[in-house]
């Protein structure tokens, strides 16, 4: 391992593997804390902190002889293999206690990321200064070029690792399978480094040390997958909660329930937002022989399934970014697409690229503290308004903290910048012990004819206009724009309002 091209290749491999772990980290955390700006911020910060600490320790180890430094490098790589393979078990063991103990979602994200992914990043950070020092010592006549080649190898390896994780490994192997591959790469590099430093003695020591990461890797592969389907976008879980003869299933995307379906009654709406998103469009379109709807997000496709079970024909178009979500709805949630038009693409790009207009457009973009910012801005609302037929209506699901209501106030202010009539609806019965509440904004040319809707599964009411005005008058709020939409901060901040 003294030739320059070998050292460059090893450095590139370590950098690539460490960036694969960084990308996988976000996916692995999603079923427990969701996928949000805070998740990725924590992952990047923790991984960089691990690299930084590892570089510092590696620099001290590099002060020894090349043989001693390579020996230390080998043990660091085996430790990286062990902690990478063990990340699966640390995450599953720590997630429940951490999320339960820390009520603040941001704090739980940071703590869990640190517990699971700091050590793999720390040990992966040790080789860079060691390998660079060996390259300089072994090639003194061209030490500048050698050092430059090592830095370039680290950068190129990181780029290739990022691309490989995003476009190849996770799609084909899943998160756990990808981590196992990384653990194997680390272990192979560790053995090679020990052999380079100690010959046959290095083979024996390395082979013995390899037993622990190998056992963990094999055990990780045998663990049950928390995802029914792991797609390019989500960990999709299907949970059966019904009784014999009365099947009920929940669709969980990452860590949040996105839909509930009744296997016997397609019109059953078993969640507050489902009651409103399914019932309010029918109320607004009452008296029409037929109408059309554009849904932003499919989820379990419970809403179009219910509409198709009723008498009035509805022409449905769904923009669902993840094809696996649609397939899960077909396979597990009794959804039959029929004549529905399903577009697997971003909703904003879809609306911008067609001239079709609709009677109803529904935005169900909220996912806990993760909200696509480009789907909540004044500019997007104007685009939605341009795609509505006369008398058409836009509905949007909103989740907010009752002690703050800054998100709701900002959403109302943004919608009022586009539509003359903006209503706020919510479930009639709400547990006062639950701080977060589901709302639905209804925006259009005029108000809804009735102030409430009632179903066998629950009821929803329209919040009085004076109450909405009072929220706007007393709560800090902004008009979201493409340039400024601080939704993550407003949703993630759990301080007193």
């Amino acid at each position: 391992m003294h030739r320059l091209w070998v050292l460059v290749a090893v450095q590139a491999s370590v950098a690539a593997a460490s960036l694969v772990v960084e990308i996988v980290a976000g996916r692995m955390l999603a079923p427990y804390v969701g996928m949000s700006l805070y998740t990725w911020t924590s992952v990047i910060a923790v991984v960089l902190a691990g690299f930084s600490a590892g570089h510092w320790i590696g620099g001290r180890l590099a002060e020894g002889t090349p043989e001693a430094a390579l020996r230390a490098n080998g043990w660091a790589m085996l430790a990286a293999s062990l902690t990478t393979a063990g990340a699966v078990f640390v995450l599953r063991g720590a997630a429940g206690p951490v999320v339960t103990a820390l009520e603040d979602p941001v704090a739980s994200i940071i703590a869990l990321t640190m517990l699971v992914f700091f050590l793999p990043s720390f040990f992966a950070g040790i080789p860079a200064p060691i390998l660079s020092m060996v390259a300089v010592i072994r090639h003194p006549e061209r030490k500048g070029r050698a050092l430059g080649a090592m830095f370039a190898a680290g950068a190129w390896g990181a780029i290739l690792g990022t691309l490989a994780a995003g476009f190849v490994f996770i799609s084909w192997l899943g998160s756990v399978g990808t981590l196992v591959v990384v653990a194997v790469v680390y272990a192979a590099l560790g053995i090679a480094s020990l052999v380079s430093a100690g010959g046959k003695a290095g083979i024996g020591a390395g082979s013995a040390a390899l037993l622990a990461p190998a056992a963990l890797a094999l055990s990780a592969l045998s663990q049950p997958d928390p995802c029914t389907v792991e797609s390019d976008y989500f960990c999709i879980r299907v949970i059966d909660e019904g009784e014999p003869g009365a099947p009920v299933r929940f669709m969980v995307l990452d860590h949040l329930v996105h839909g509930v379906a009744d296997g016997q009654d397609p019109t059953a709406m078993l969640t507050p937002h489902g009651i409103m998103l399914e019932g309010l469009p029918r109320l607004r379109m009452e008296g029409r022989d037929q109408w059309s709807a554009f849904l932003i997000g499919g989820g379990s496709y419970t809403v179009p399934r219910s509409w198709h079970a009723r008498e009035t024909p509805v022409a449905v178009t769904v923009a669902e970014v993840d094809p696996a979500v649609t397939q899960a709805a077909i396979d597990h949630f009794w959804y039959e697409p029929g004549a529905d038009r399903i577009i697997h693409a971003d909703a904003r790009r879809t609306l911008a690229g067609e001239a079709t207009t609709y009677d109803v457009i529904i935005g169900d973009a909220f996912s806990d503290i993760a909200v696509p910012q480009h789907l909540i801005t004044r500019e997007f609302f104007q685009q939605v308004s341009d795609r509505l037929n006369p008398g058409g209506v836009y509905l949007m699901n909103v989740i907010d903290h009752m002690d703050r209501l800054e998100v709701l106030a900002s959403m109302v202010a943004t919608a009022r910048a586009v539509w003359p009539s903006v209503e706020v609806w919510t479930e009639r019965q709400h547990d006062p012990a639950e701080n977060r509440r589901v709302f639905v904004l209804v925006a259009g040319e005029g108000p809804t004819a009735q102030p409430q809707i009632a179903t066998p599964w629950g009821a929803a009411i329209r919040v009085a206009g004076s109450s909405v005005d009072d929220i706007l008058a007393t709560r800090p709020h902004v008009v979201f724009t493409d340039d400024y939409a601080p939704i993550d901060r407003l949703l993630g901040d759990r301080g007193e309002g």
Side-chain angles (χ1 to χ4, degrees):
M1 197 179 283
H2 299 294
R3 294 184 178 181
L4 182 58
W5 71 267
V6 175
L7 293 167
V8 167
V10 171
Q11 173 64 6
S13 299
V14 174
S18 63
L19 263 292
V20 169
V21 173
E22 181 176 354
I23 299 299
V24 171
R27 292 302 309 274
M28 291 185 65
L29 289 166
Y32 306 97
V33 294
M35 185 75 75
S36 66
L37 175 65
Y38 296 109
T39 308
W40 282 115
T41 300
S42 298
V43 167
I44 293 170
V46 167
V47 168
L48 289 178
F51 288 165
S52 178
H55 292 338
W56 185 77
I57 294 296
R60 301 194 63 174
L61 295 173
E63 294 177 350
T65 65
E67 289 73 21
L70 287 174
R71 189 178 301 110
N73 184 74
W75 289 113
M77 284 287 85
L78 289 173
S81 177
L82 180 66
T83 52
T84 298
V88 175
F89 302 95
V90 176
L91 176 60
R92 295 182 184 180
V98 168
V99 173
T100 302
L102 301 175
E103 294 184 359
D104 188 320
V106 177
S108 64
I109 290 170
I110 295 172
L112 199 56
T113 307
M114 181 67 73
L115 284 172
V116 180
F117 294 105
F118 177 81
L119 284 180
S121 302
F122 167 74
F123 288 116
I126 291 176
I130 292 177
L131 296 173
S132 297
M133 181 65 78
V134 173
V136 170
I137 292 174
R138 293 302 184 187
H139 303 277
E141 75 287 355
R142 42 180 179 159
K143 56 185 178 182
R145 282 177 288 177
L147 196 60
M150 296 302 292
F151 275 90
W156 275 106
I159 293 170
L160 293 175
T162 301
L163 295 174
F167 295 115
V168 180
F169 287 131
I170 295 177
S171 297
W172 288 93
L173 302 177
S175 299
V176 175
T178 300
L179 276 192
V180 169
V181 169
V182 171
V184 170
V185 170
Y186 282 156
L189 294 175
I191 295 295
S193 190
L194 290 174
V195 170
S196 179
K200 293 182 179 179
I203 296 177
S207 299
L210 187 61
L211 293 176
L216 271 180
L218 291 174
S219 181
L221 286 174
S222 66
Q223 292 295 305
D225 193 335
C227 311
T228 306
V229 178
E230 185 175 8
S231 73
D232 291 339
Y233 295 91
F234 301 108
C235 170
I236 305 171
R237 287 180 286 172
V238 179
I239 301 175
D240 282 295
E241 292 290 345
E243 300 176 354
V248 173
R249 290 175 182 163
F250 289 74
M251 174 181 279
V252 180
L253 301 184
D254 290 336
H255 75 309
L256 195 71
V257 175
H258 276 251
V260 185
D262 187 312
Q264 290 186 324
D265 185 358
T267 66
M269 293 291 111
L270 305 178
T271 62
H273 78 278
I275 290 172
M276 290 183 278
L277 294 181
E278 191 274 344
L280 285 170
R282 289 192 293 107
L283 181 59
R284 296 286 297 226
M285 298 296 111
E286 194 171 29
R288 301 194 183 194
D289 295 333
Q290 58 182 8
W291 47 280
S292 60
F294 182 95
L295 280 68
I296 300 173
S300 59
Y301 285 75
T302 307
V303 169
R305 178 171 172 252
S306 174
W307 288 342
H308 295 327
R310 301 178 184 275
E311 294 182 1
T312 304
V314 183
V316 172
T317 298
V318 181
E320 168 56 58
V321 71
D322 190 351
V325 169
T326 300
Q327 193 59 50
I330 295 170
D331 293 341
H332 303 285
F333 292 88
W334 306 284
Y335 171 61
E336 298 178 1
D340 290 354
R341 177 178 172 234
I342 300 174
I343 304 169
H344 293 122
D346 177 76
R348 181 163 179 171
R349 186 176 68 179
T350 300
L351 282 175
E354 62 177 28
T356 307
T357 56
Y358 303 90
D359 297 308
V360 173
I361 297 179
I362 296 179
D364 190 6
F366 270 62
S367 176
D368 197 24
I369 60 173
V371 179
Q373 295 184 10
H374 67 300
L375 299 181
I376 61 170
T377 66
R378 180 181 59 203
E379 291 85 349
F380 176 65
F381 285 176
Q382 185 59 59
Q383 186 183 79
V384 169
S385 178
D386 294 341
R387 292 292 179 269
L388 285 174
N389 293 322
V393 63
Y394 176 62
L395 295 90
M396 182 175 184
N397 187 35
V398 178
I399 303 172
D400 202 1
H401 305 297
M402 289 297 293
D403 59 351
R404 297 186 65 83
L405 295 178
E406 294 178 13
V407 173
L408 179 63
S410 297
M411 287 294 183
V412 171
T414 305
R416 283 184 174 181
V418 176
W419 285 283
S421 173
V422 178
E423 302 172 345
V424 176
W425 288 69
T426 190
E427 56 187 314
R428 176 185 291 170
Q429 301 295 328
H430 178 73
D431 184 357
E434 176 59 49
N435 186 40
R436 293 201 298 180
R437 189 165 185 173
V438 177
F439 302 92
V440 168
L441 263 61
V442 180
E445 298 173 358
T448 306
Q450 300 178 20
Q452 62 180 340
I453 54 174
T455 75
W457 310 280
I461 58 172
R462 181 174 59 202
V463 178
S466 58
S467 298
V468 176
D469 291 338
D470 183 63
I471 292 172
L472 284 170
T474 59
R475 303 290 179 170
H477 59 275
V478 298
V479 173
F480 294 138
T481 66
D482 285 348
D483 181 61
Y484 182 64
I487 186 66
D488 296 282
R489 172 173 58 83
L490 296 180
L491 278 174
D493 188 352
R494 294 294 295 270
E496 293 300 323

